[in-house]
């Protein structure tokens, strides 16, 4: 799979904008017109994929306020990834803010699955 060009919202200092633009390689598993999904470089479950809108928003709250349809599209892509690469069951996590574990400030949802998941966030 190949990425397409970067949207007008792209930030020069954003690693996920660079992945969207194809300037940094990723293991793409799915892409739509508005969303890409690629494997997390440091997987925390047998299936660990990041669902990322091509357009840059800092976090899920900013995305939900500006473009709720795009957030719904991300959920759809997460569901498709879990169906295609695991048993269809999945956890979909948005870390919002450094104290919650956010380290990349381009909104992304973590799709975790492929096993019975534990619950140890702290
Ligand atoms: P968060 O900590 O919620 O902001 O999630 C950022 C995620 O991005 C982490 O799970 C990282 O392992 C992952 N990550 C960072 N750089 C890359 C990359 N180049 N390719 C794939 N995943 C990445």
């Amino acid at each position: 799979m190949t990425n397409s060009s970067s949207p007008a919202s792209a930030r020069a200092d954003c690693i996920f904008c660079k992945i969207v633009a194809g300037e940094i390689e990723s293991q793409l598993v799915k892409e739509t017109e508005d969303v890409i999904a690629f494997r997390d470089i440091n997987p925390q479950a047998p299936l660990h994929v990041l669902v990322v809108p091509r357009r840059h928003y800092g976090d899920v709250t900013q995305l939900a306020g500006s473009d709720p349809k795009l957030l719904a599209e991300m959920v759809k892509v997460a569901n498709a990834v879990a169906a295609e690469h695991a048993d269809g069951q999945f956890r979909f996590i948005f870390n919002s803010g450094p104290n919650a574990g956010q380290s990349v400030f381009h909104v992304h949802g973590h799709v975790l699955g492929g096993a019975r998941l534990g619950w140890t966030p702290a």
Side-chain angles (χ1 to χ4, degrees):
M1 258 183 221
T2 54
N3 293 344
S4 52
S5 61
S6 44
S9 66
R11 305 278 169 93
D13 60 347
C14 173
I15 186 169
F16 285 178
C17 285
K18 290 192 169 95
I19 288 176
V20 166
E23 294 166 15
I24 293 178
E25 281 189 20
S26 68
Q27 277 189 272
L28 269 184
V29 297
K30 196 162 195 65
E31 60 181 335
T32 67
E33 190 178 339
D34 297 317
V35 174
I36 65 170
F38 54 89
R39 294 195 184 274
D40 195 292
I41 205 166
N42 182 24
Q44 303 299 312
L47 177 69
H48 188 172
V49 165
L50 301 175
V51 177
V52 178
R54 295 183 191 274
R55 192 173 176 82
H56 183 102
Y57 293 97
D59 63 26
V60 69
T61 306
Q62 290 172 27
L63 170 62
S66 300
D67 194 344
K69 278 174 74 175
L70 183 52
L71 181 54
E73 167 77 3
M74 290 173 69
V75 175
K76 208 168 146 187
V77 168
N79 186 52
V81 167
E84 289 163 21
H85 295 275
D87 62 2
Q89 301 174 54
F90 65 101
R91 187 172 292 165
F92 198 32
I93 296 174
F94 292 87
N95 295 326
S96 295
N99 286 347
Q102 188 175 9
S103 61
V104 176
F105 294 87
H106 178 137
V107 63
H108 53 281
H110 297 253
V111 180
L112 299 172
R116 192 164 184 92
L117 301 176
W119 186 254
T120 54

